[in-house]
Amino acid sequence: MTGQITPGQFHAADGVDDWRSLYHLVSAHFPTASLAEGVALVAEIGRLADEAEQQYVAIDLRGTGVTVSLSRRDISLARRISAAARALDMSADPSAVQLINVTLDALVGADVLPFWRALLGYRQIGDDYLSDPSRRGPGFGLQPMEAPRPQRNRMHLDVAVPHDQAEARIAAALAAGGHLVSDAHAPRWWVLADAEGNEACVATWLGRE
């Protein structure tokens, strides 16, 4: 099965245990003992992914591991990449993947989005989201608000984590001095804040289908 299926359909498939949905992506991280090991996996992915599939593959290669992200939830390709990693004696670490968005509260999104698009050099997706064309930086999104809020920050981070890692990430943030602002939208997202009230959201794919 290929194409932009739902996260639920992707995770219900066999052979994709290495992968986690993060908003529009599915990602897997394979720890390595050296850069050479990572290069070997990247070379295998280059061989097994055809020209069309390569258009939606993004790879982050470091000396400590390889993170692979697919902008289409392609079960077949995910299985083949996992098989290539296993053939190289690599095991995935699902806890190591995440996706970060910067989110700005705006009264009139159409008035401010062109500024941020020009400033960041990003491309626009839809009416309220900007994406780094090089796939290096965080996403940038707008969140509507009905009235000005001068006593509250209007920009926050959205941290998308694997659905089975959310509770641990939230617990770590609370133990580090944060507090829970709201879980009204959980498990889609939880709103947390630091000791001075600066907010951030921990998000998962659950509840977004």
Side-chain angles (χ1 to χ4, degrees), residues 69-141:
S69 297
L70 309 179
S71 57
R72 291 178 63 188
R73 302 182 189 101
D74 188 330
I75 293 170
S76 174
L77 181 57
R79 287 170 174 163
R80 282 178 277 142
I81 292 172
S82 290
R86 286 194 300 272
L88 294 169
D89 293 324
M90 297 180 185
S91 298
D93 178 7
S95 69
V97 298
Q98 66 179 17
L99 180 64
I100 296 176
N101 284 335
V102 177
T103 303
L104 175 70
D105 294 340
L107 289 169
V108 184
D111 289 348
V112 301
L113 197 62
F115 167 82
W116 291 101
R117 183 177 65 236
L119 181 70
L120 297 170
Y122 277 18
R123 62 185 177 91
Q124 186 168 336
I125 301 176
D127 297 328
D128 59 1
Y129 191 77
L130 302 175
S131 175
D132 181 358
S134 67
R135 303 186 187 182
R136 290 192 300 264
F140 182 91

Side-chain angles (χ1 to χ4, degrees), residues 148-205:
R149 292 194 293 265
Q151 301 303 317
R152 175 185 165 189
N153 285 347
R154 290 175 55 180
M155 187 173 290
H156 68 272
L157 295 182
D158 289 328
V159 184
V161 301
H163 61 281
D164 52 359
Q165 300 295 321
E167 291 186 7
R169 185 67 64 94
I170 291 167
L174 298 180
H179 63 274
L180 179 67
V181 175
S182 174
D183 60 1
H185 299 283
R188 293 180 68 189
W189 74 83
W190 293 257
V191 183
L192 310 178
D194 66 15
E196 295 188 358
N198 300 297
E199 295 182 359
C201 295
V202 174
T204 76
W205 67 266

Side-chain angles (χ1 to χ4, degrees), residues 50-72:
D50 63 31
E51 184 175 350
E53 292 169 331
Q54 290 178 16
Q55 300 303 308
Y56 54 86
V57 177
I59 299 174
D60 184 304
L61 170 63
R62 308 292 175 98
T64 55
V66 178
T67 302
V68 187
S69 297
L70 309 179
S71 57
R72 291 178 63 188

